[in-house]
Amino acid sequence: MSLLAGDCQQPAQCRIQKCTTDFVSLTSHLNSAIDGFDSEFCKALRAYAGCTQRTSKACRGNLVYHSAVLGISDLMSQRNCSKDGPTSSTNPEVTHDPCNYHSHAGAREHRGGDLSPPSYLFCGLFGDPHLRTFKDHFQTCKVEGAWPLIDNNYLSVQVTNVPVVPGSSATATNKITIIFKAHRECTDQKVYQAVTDDLPAAFVDGSTSGGDGDTKSLLIVERESGRYVEMHARYIGTTVFVRQLGRYLTLAIRMPEDLAMSYEESQDLQLCVNGCPLSERIDDGQGQVSAILGHSVPRTSLAQAWPGYTLEAANAQCHEKMPVKDIYFQSCVFDLLTTGDANFTAAAHSALEDVEALHPRKERWHIFPSSSHGTPRGGGHLSVSLGLTCLIFIVFL
């Protein structure tokens, strides 16, 4: 007996992966610190729920599907989202907004057949100074004077670092200049500049936003007067945090990978992209401030490094703020020993908070010291102590 082609029908395909990808695409650009977050997140959740309902028959028995359904229910409850209400559209032709990076990035992906959401990168600078690059490399550097962190076709960020302690190579940031470059109809060029004791909530031209209409494509939000500002650039999907802790400034930035890597060959000196030049590094070459692990030094050297903090006292103070002994904890201890300035504890703690707010991958928030000498990830207290002691010598040479 022969079968006609029309008699065979392919079983419907479970499309839970598509539903999840659309949800991530709709929410990856949202920031909980901005007004309207809950409304937009609930719209995306309802769209996610509707998508799972439409594919429920085909996904019967699929563990990923059932986990997603439970997850949606939990999130709806946590965010107090009603089951009825408007939903986010996953049609890029409907949601396209030339001054919303997420919108036009989604449209490009749709036309290209690639449904993965845009990839984001994180870079941060704080303390003495410690740099976390777009590649998640962690470095401690000298970099005295003016240095470019970012210099691509959309954004330029320059920091100026000054010596912290006389006779030491340790520096910290006292000036940050950020240039949001003109972008078609979205915004004119906007320049932001912060210096110690002057952290404005406006650009240098006195404005607090860029772009036309009610929904600004570029916006400054002051979180703490004179101490903490955020900049949200919708048109390039970028968020920047600037803080002042004590006498010095910190910076954290999240930016789409395709824009962060959009620069000319002549723009290759970017600390966020390529890290500090080797001649400016004061760590062990692997991002660890606990340099030269395993080498013994005189026990009295710590007291001579800087009066006011012993290694034990620095460990205790940093541990109060950062119970996880990762590279941020270690940087805190290093900064206290080299400067004696307790504000560096707050700087390290805030830097870690900024990572948790902006870094797109939770499993990479914490970086733990590794050792070629066999010390496990996270290291032992003795190895860290010896390494920090050795590095104090290096800084003061």
Side-chain angles (χ1 to χ4, degrees):
M1 184 179 78
S2 63
L3 292 174
L4 298 175
D7 292 335
C8 276
Q9 292 186 352
Q10 293 292 327
Q13 186 177 12
C14 178
R15 297 177 62 80
I16 187 60
Q17 190 63 47
K18 171 68 166 59
C19 295
T20 302
T21 299
D22 284 348
F23 174 70
V24 172
S25 182
L26 288 168
T27 56
S28 61
H29 70 295
L30 298 179
N31 189 312
S32 59
I34 296 298
D35 291 341
F37 169 82
D38 287 336
S39 173
E40 292 302 315
F41 194 81
C42 287
K43 286 181 185 178
L45 271 177
R46 284 190 286 266
Y48 193 9
C51 184
T52 60
Q53 289 170 5
R54 290 190 293 274
T55 193
S56 58
K57 277 189 178 180
C59 294
R60 189 173 300 158
N62 185 306
L63 290 178
V64 174
Y65 166 80
H66 291 289
S67 295
V69 171
L70 289 173
I72 292 169
S73 177
D74 288 343
L75 285 171
M76 296 270 284
S77 177
Q78 291 172 19
R79 294 287 175 182
N80 293 321
C81 299
S82 61
K83 292 185 178 180
D84 299 319
T87 61
S88 300
S89 171
T90 56
N91 181 347
E93 300 306 318
V94 174
T95 62
H96 179 64
D97 174 357
C99 294
N100 182 331
Y101 170 80
H102 168 259
S103 173
H104 56 76
R108 287 198 302 271
E109 289 158 3
H110 182 79
R111 289 194 294 271
D114 180 7
L115 295 173
S116 61
S119 175
Y120 288 86
L121 301 176
F122 173 87
C123 180
L125 186 79
F126 70 97
D128 211 354
H130 308 288
L131 170 72
R132 181 170 181 156
T133 72
F134 283 144
K135 299 173 185 175
D136 285 327
H137 295 163
F138 198 95
Q139 302 172 354
T140 299
C141 311
K142 294 179 288 188
V143 290
E144 182 177 348
W147 289 80
L149 283 185
I150 296 171
D151 184 20
N152 56 50
N153 297 337
Y154 303 90
L155 182 73
S156 291
V157 180
Q158 179 177 282
V159 296
T160 301
N161 303 312
V162 294
V164 178
V165 178
S168 166
S169 59
T171 65
T173 304
N174 73 342
K175 182 178 179 180
I176 295 175
T177 303
I178 303 170
I179 301 174
F180 294 90
K181 300 180 181 180
H183 189 75
R184 297 192 293 273
E185 70 269 34
C186 300
T187 184
D188 296 329
Q189 178 172 290
K190 293 288 182 179
V191 179
Y192 179 83
Q193 191 167 91
V195 296
T196 296
D197 294 333
D198 184 13
L199 195 69
F203 296 106
V204 295
D205 63 4
S207 65
T208 59
S209 62
D212 299 322
D214 294 332
T215 306
K216 302 297 184 182
S217 58
L218 176 61
L219 184 66
I220 291 183
V221 180
E222 185 176 58
R223 294 297 175 195
E224 184 180 350
S225 179
R227 295 292 170 182
Y228 174 26
V229 298
E230 297 177 0
M231 280 155 269
H232 300 272
R234 292 175 59 250
Y235 68 102
I236 53 173
T238 297
T239 302
V240 183
F241 291 177
V242 179
R243 301 176 186 263
Q244 178 172 333
L245 287 310
R247 298 287 301 161
Y248 303 105
L249 307 176
T250 72
L251 180 136
I253 183 167
R254 166 180 157 132
M255 190 171 194
E257 182 175 11
D258 61 329
L259 304 190
M261 296 296 124
S262 177
Y263 57 89
E264 306 301 322
E265 192 173 336
S266 61
Q267 298 170 293
D268 62 336
L269 182 57
Q270 302 182 57
L271 302 191
C272 281
V273 176
N274 296 313
C276 298
L278 284 176
S279 60
E280 297 293 327
R281 299 274 295 276
I282 56 175
D283 54 32
D284 65 352
Q286 297 180 4
Q288 300 179 59
V289 293
S290 58
I292 324 173
L293 292 178
H295 287 250
S296 61
V297 294
R299 294 175 59 86
T300 58
S301 60
L302 282 173
Q304 298 167 358
W306 183 262
Y309 278 99
T310 63
L311 178 60
E312 291 73 18
N315 266 298
Q317 180 158 324
C318 294
H319 189 61
E320 283 182 14
K321 290 284 189 180
M322 289 162 289
V324 177
K325 292 192 175 182
D326 61 0
I327 204 76
Y328 289 91
F329 167 84
Q330 198 180 78
S331 298
C332 171
V333 174
F334 169 73
D335 289 353
L336 289 182
L337 293 174
T338 54
T339 70
D341 186 346
N343 288 300
F344 282 106
T345 303
H349 181 244
S350 294
L352 183 55
E353 287 186 326
D354 291 345
V355 168
E356 294 172 356
L358 296 178
H359 197 293
R361 299 183 62 176
K362 184 175 182 179
E363 70 274 14
R364 293 188 180 179
W365 287 355
H366 295 282
I367 298 175
F368 292 93
S370 59
S371 171
S372 58
H373 301 282
T375 303
R377 277 170 56 86
H381 177 77
L382 178 61
S383 295
V384 172
S385 301
L386 292 174
L388 285 168
T389 306
C390 291
L391 191 56
I392 302 302
F393 278 134
I394 294 172
V395 170
F396 281 88
L397 286 178

